[in-house]
Short mmCIF file of all heavy atoms in Angstrom, two decimals:
data_model
loop_
_atom_site.label_atom_id
_atom_site.label_comp_id
_atom_site.label_asym_id
_atom_site.label_seq_id
_atom_site.Cartn_x
_atom_site.Cartn_y
_atom_site.Cartn_z
N ILE A 39 19.89 21.30 4.56
CA ILE A 39 20.54 21.48 3.29
C ILE A 39 20.73 22.99 2.98
O ILE A 39 20.12 23.52 2.04
CB ILE A 39 19.88 20.72 2.09
CG1 ILE A 39 19.47 19.28 2.55
CG2 ILE A 39 20.80 20.69 0.89
CD1 ILE A 39 19.00 18.40 1.43
N SER A 95 10.55 29.13 -3.44
CA SER A 95 11.55 28.04 -3.49
C SER A 95 12.55 28.33 -4.57
O SER A 95 12.34 29.24 -5.45
CB SER A 95 10.86 26.72 -3.87
OG SER A 95 10.37 26.77 -5.20
N GLY A 96 13.60 27.54 -4.60
CA GLY A 96 14.64 27.68 -5.63
C GLY A 96 14.13 27.21 -6.97
O GLY A 96 14.48 27.81 -7.99
N THR A 97 13.33 26.18 -6.99
CA THR A 97 12.76 25.68 -8.26
C THR A 97 11.93 26.79 -8.94
O THR A 97 12.09 26.93 -10.16
CB THR A 97 11.86 24.47 -7.97
OG1 THR A 97 12.64 23.47 -7.30
CG2 THR A 97 11.31 23.92 -9.26
N GLU A 98 11.13 27.43 -8.16
CA GLU A 98 10.34 28.53 -8.77
C GLU A 98 11.21 29.67 -9.29
O GLU A 98 10.89 30.33 -10.28
CB GLU A 98 9.33 29.09 -7.75
CG GLU A 98 8.18 28.18 -7.48
CD GLU A 98 7.43 28.69 -6.25
OE1 GLU A 98 6.81 29.76 -6.37
OE2 GLU A 98 7.45 28.04 -5.20
N PHE A 128 22.23 21.12 -10.53
CA PHE A 128 20.92 20.85 -9.98
C PHE A 128 20.20 22.20 -9.84
O PHE A 128 20.72 23.16 -9.23
CB PHE A 128 20.99 20.21 -8.60
CG PHE A 128 19.64 19.84 -8.03
CD1 PHE A 128 18.97 18.69 -8.46
CD2 PHE A 128 19.00 20.70 -7.14
CE1 PHE A 128 17.70 18.40 -7.94
CE2 PHE A 128 17.71 20.40 -6.67
CZ PHE A 128 17.06 19.24 -7.06
N HIS A 129 19.05 22.30 -10.47
CA HIS A 129 18.29 23.56 -10.41
C HIS A 129 16.87 23.42 -9.90
O HIS A 129 16.09 24.33 -9.94
CB HIS A 129 18.28 24.23 -11.80
CG HIS A 129 19.66 24.49 -12.37
ND1 HIS A 129 20.54 25.36 -11.75
CD2 HIS A 129 20.31 23.98 -13.43
CE1 HIS A 129 21.73 25.38 -12.42
NE2 HIS A 129 21.58 24.53 -13.43
N GLY A 130 16.52 22.18 -9.46
CA GLY A 130 15.18 21.94 -8.91
C GLY A 130 14.52 20.77 -9.62
O GLY A 130 15.18 20.05 -10.35
N GLU A 180 25.82 27.06 -11.39
CA GLU A 180 26.00 27.27 -9.93
C GLU A 180 27.46 27.65 -9.72
O GLU A 180 28.36 26.85 -10.10
CB GLU A 180 25.73 26.00 -9.16
CG GLU A 180 24.34 25.47 -9.20
CD GLU A 180 24.31 23.94 -8.97
OE1 GLU A 180 24.34 23.51 -7.84
OE2 GLU A 180 24.27 23.21 -9.96
N GLU A 185 24.46 19.88 -5.05
CA GLU A 185 24.02 18.47 -5.19
C GLU A 185 25.06 17.69 -5.99
O GLU A 185 25.24 16.48 -5.78
CB GLU A 185 22.64 18.41 -5.89
CG GLU A 185 21.54 19.15 -5.21
CD GLU A 185 21.31 18.79 -3.78
OE1 GLU A 185 21.13 17.57 -3.52
OE2 GLU A 185 21.32 19.66 -2.92
N ASP A 213 22.98 30.35 -10.45
CA ASP A 213 22.09 29.70 -9.44
C ASP A 213 22.86 29.71 -8.12
O ASP A 213 23.75 28.91 -7.94
CB ASP A 213 21.80 28.29 -9.89
CG ASP A 213 20.88 27.56 -8.94
OD1 ASP A 213 20.73 28.06 -7.79
OD2 ASP A 213 20.35 26.50 -9.30
N VAL A 215 21.26 29.38 -5.24
CA VAL A 215 20.26 28.85 -4.26
C VAL A 215 20.99 28.19 -3.08
O VAL A 215 20.60 28.48 -1.92
CB VAL A 215 19.32 27.84 -4.96
CG1 VAL A 215 18.48 27.06 -3.95
CG2 VAL A 215 18.37 28.60 -5.91
N GLN A 216 22.01 27.43 -3.36
CA GLN A 216 22.69 26.72 -2.25
C GLN A 216 23.95 27.49 -1.78
O GLN A 216 24.24 27.50 -0.61
CB GLN A 216 23.04 25.31 -2.68
CG GLN A 216 23.45 24.43 -1.53
CD GLN A 216 23.39 22.93 -1.83
OE1 GLN A 216 24.21 22.17 -1.36
NE2 GLN A 216 22.48 22.48 -2.63
N MET A 239 19.43 33.32 -9.27
CA MET A 239 18.43 32.59 -8.46
C MET A 239 18.92 32.49 -7.01
O MET A 239 20.04 32.10 -6.78
CB MET A 239 18.26 31.21 -9.03
CG MET A 239 17.76 31.17 -10.46
SD MET A 239 18.49 29.80 -11.41
CE MET A 239 17.96 28.36 -10.40
N ALA A 241 17.55 31.22 -2.92
CA ALA A 241 16.52 30.59 -2.05
C ALA A 241 17.19 30.10 -0.81
O ALA A 241 18.13 30.74 -0.35
CB ALA A 241 15.79 29.47 -2.78
N LYS A 242 16.74 29.02 -0.27
CA LYS A 242 17.32 28.38 0.91
C LYS A 242 17.66 29.38 2.03
O LYS A 242 16.77 29.84 2.73
CB LYS A 242 18.55 27.54 0.51
CG LYS A 242 18.17 26.29 -0.26
CD LYS A 242 19.41 25.40 -0.53
CE LYS A 242 19.15 24.17 -1.31
NZ LYS A 242 18.60 23.08 -0.56
N1 LIG B 1 19.22 25.18 -7.26
C1 LIG B 1 20.11 24.68 -6.42
C2 LIG B 1 21.55 24.98 -6.65
C3 LIG B 1 19.72 23.85 -5.38
O1 LIG B 1 20.65 23.30 -4.56
C4 LIG B 1 18.34 23.56 -5.21
C5 LIG B 1 17.88 22.69 -4.10
O2 LIG B 1 18.66 21.93 -3.58
C6 LIG B 1 17.43 24.15 -6.08
C7 LIG B 1 17.92 24.99 -7.06
C8 LIG B 1 15.95 23.91 -5.88
O3 LIG B 1 15.54 24.58 -4.77
P1 LIG B 1 14.16 24.20 -4.03
O4 LIG B 1 14.40 22.82 -3.48
O5 LIG B 1 14.00 25.25 -2.99
O6 LIG B 1 13.07 24.22 -5.04
#
Side-chain angles (χ1 to χ4, degrees):
I39 316 190
S95 68
T97 302
E98 287 169 67
F128 184 81
H129 302 297
E180 296 154 82
E185 303 304 306
D213 181 345
V215 166
Q216 194 162 145
M239 298 144 58
K242 289 186 182 280

